[in-house]
């Protein structure tokens, strides 16, 4: 059981490199879906494994063994392994829970502040203009979705570049990219190895919006120029927007501009192999966590005298 439950805790360390390769070899939308789904599943499996270690350690304590109606000792690895693993798992879960709660509170405050600021400015459809000397533009989810842009950002771009920027932010809202970014944030709080994956997911969302904007305006060079000029204008700005509010000025902009100036990528054999590796990584983690929990349940039933 112990070896099986270690796999879900180790596999997330392999995802960071796989995620970067997936973004390089797959279409941005496909990479966004694949990497986000894999990160969420691996995060859930790691939490399951930690929970199993905690329960195993608790049932080694006489008080909790009595509450669990154990009539026989729970058969596990040596207490020298089980009890430290349980104590460590408790600490890890406590830290994950605390950082997650802090992040939720901070993101909620930032979201409310951004919605309030957007509500003060004039709106034309989904476009909301905020009078500010700070160049900024981002897609703000909610009911209704908004594209928030400051007057300083509008002054930094010409007419066609503005349309490309608006198309980029509109693609974020239409693609529901805030859900992917929120899922990446959640996964990052479940396992430290998933924190760099969060940045890859954010880049995948930006790349997907870049491609959608290029199709919308019909000019990849114009879109690349708009992204570059917007990022240059807003590089010194500090926005109070929430992390799940995607913006064209985030991420490694030179890499995004280079991708726009190149031909759209079509998945090849390497891309299919990367996708297969992501699927295999997810499947192995799921099987290991489910099998480990099933084995733990069987051992508890034996200790309760329900099975021979």
């Amino acid at each position: 059981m112990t070896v099986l439950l270690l796999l879900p805790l180790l596999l997330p360390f392999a995802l960071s490199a796989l995620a970067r390769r997936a973004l390089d070899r797959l279409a941005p939308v496909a990479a966004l879906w694949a990497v986000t789904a894999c990160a969420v599943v691996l995060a859930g499996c790691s939490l399951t494994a930690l929970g199993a270690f905690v329960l195993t350690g608790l049932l080694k304590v006489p008080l909790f063994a009595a509450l669990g109606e154990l009539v026989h000792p729970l058969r596990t690895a040596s207490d020298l392994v089980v009890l430290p693993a349980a104590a460590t798992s408790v600490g890890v879960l406590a830290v994950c829970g605390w950082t997650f709660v802090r992040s939720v509170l901070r993101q909620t405050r930032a979201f409310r502040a951004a919605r309030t600021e957007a509500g003060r400015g004039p709106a034309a459809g989904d476009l909301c203009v905020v009078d500010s000397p700070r160049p900024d533009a981002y897609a703000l989810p909610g009911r209704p979705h908004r594209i928030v842009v400051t007057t300083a950002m509008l002054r930094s771009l010409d007419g066609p570049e503005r349309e490309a920027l608006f198309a980029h932010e509109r693609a974020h809202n239409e693609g529901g990219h805030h859900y992917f970014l929120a899922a990446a944030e959640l996964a990052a709080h479940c396992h430290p190895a998933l924190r760099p994956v969060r940045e890859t997911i954010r880049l995948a969302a930006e790349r997907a919006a870049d491609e959608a904007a290029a199709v919308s305006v019909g000019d990849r060079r114009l879109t690349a120029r708009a992204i570059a000029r917007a990022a240059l204008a807003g590089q010194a700005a500090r926005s109070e927007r929430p992390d799940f509010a995607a913006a064209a000025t985030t991420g490694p902009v030179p890499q995004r501009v280079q991708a726009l100036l190149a031909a759209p990528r079509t998945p090849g054999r390497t891309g299919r192999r990367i996708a297969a590796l992501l699927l295999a990584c997810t499947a192995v983690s799921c099987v290991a966590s489910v099998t480990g929990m099933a084995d733990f349940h069987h051992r508890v039933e034996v200790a309760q005298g329900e099975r021979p």
Side-chain angles (χ1 to χ4, degrees), residues 156-174:
S156 301
L157 307 176
D158 60 26
E161 290 169 349
R162 293 175 188 172
E163 292 303 319
L165 179 65
F166 297 158
H168 175 98
E169 304 301 353
R170 192 168 285 116
H172 279 310
N173 282 332
E174 292 175 351

Side-chain angles (χ1 to χ4, degrees), residues 205-220:
E206 295 302 328
R207 286 282 297 110
D210 289 343
E211 294 295 331
V215 172
S216 178
V217 301
D219 191 336
R220 298 181 67 85

Side-chain angles (χ1 to χ4, degrees), residues 26-300:
L26 297 175
V29 174
L32 179 62
W33 276 96
V35 174
T36 305
C38 189
V40 170
V41 172
L42 290 183
C45 291
S46 65
L47 290 180
T48 300
L50 291 173
F53 282 125
V54 171
L55 291 176
T56 302
L58 288 176
L59 292 177
K60 286 290 186 176
V61 179
L63 174 61
F64 291 99
L67 291 174
E69 299 179 350
L70 303 188
V71 296
H72 305 295
L74 184 66
R75 292 188 295 109
T76 61
S78 170
D79 289 355
L80 296 177
V81 175
V82 171
L83 295 181
T88 302
S89 299
V90 169
V92 171
L93 288 173
V95 171
C96 290
W98 171 244
T99 58
F100 175 69
V101 170
R102 288 184 58 189
S103 177
V104 168
L105 294 176
R106 179 174 60 84
Q107 298 296 330
T108 301
R109 288 194 298 267
F111 177 69
R112 289 176 177 173
R115 293 293 296 188
T116 300
E117 184 181 38
R120 295 190 185 124
D126 62 347
L127 180 63
C128 179
V129 179
V130 176
D131 186 13
S132 173
R134 183 182 68 240
D136 198 13
Y138 56 92
L140 185 62
R143 295 184 179 180
H145 292 329
R146 295 290 191 190
I147 298 172
V148 181
V149 60
T150 64
T151 51
M153 179 62 78
L154 292 177
R155 289 192 295 267
S156 301
L157 307 176
D158 60 26
E161 290 169 349
R162 293 175 188 172
E163 292 303 319
L165 179 65
F166 297 158
H168 175 98
E169 304 301 353
R170 192 168 285 116
H172 279 310
N173 282 332
E174 292 175 351
H177 293 168
H178 51 283
Y179 293 117
F180 294 93
L181 299 181
E185 185 71 18
L186 173 62
H189 289 286
C190 295
H191 197 292
L194 297 177
R195 291 174 185 170
V197 178
R198 172 178 54 188
E199 302 308 316
T200 303
I201 292 174
R202 182 174 295 277
L203 176 56
E206 295 302 328
R207 286 282 297 110
D210 289 343
E211 294 295 331
V215 172
S216 178
V217 301
D219 191 336
R220 298 181 67 85
R221 295 187 67 86
L222 169 62
T223 305
R225 187 171 72 249
I227 297 300
R229 292 191 63 183
L232 185 63
Q235 64 181 352
R238 284 184 172 271
S239 177
E240 298 301 326
R241 62 177 179 263
D243 292 340
F244 56 82
T249 56
T250 59
V253 175
Q255 180 180 341
R256 292 167 52 200
V257 169
Q258 184 178 9
L260 279 169
L261 294 178
R265 183 179 298 277
T266 55
R269 181 178 300 178
T270 304
R272 290 191 291 270
R273 288 176 180 173
I274 295 297
L277 284 174
L278 286 173
L279 180 61
C281 186
T282 305
V284 169
S285 184
C286 286
V287 170
S289 59
V290 170
T291 305
M293 287 300 295
D295 181 64
F296 168 74
H297 184 261
H298 174 76
R299 291 171 186 267
V300 171

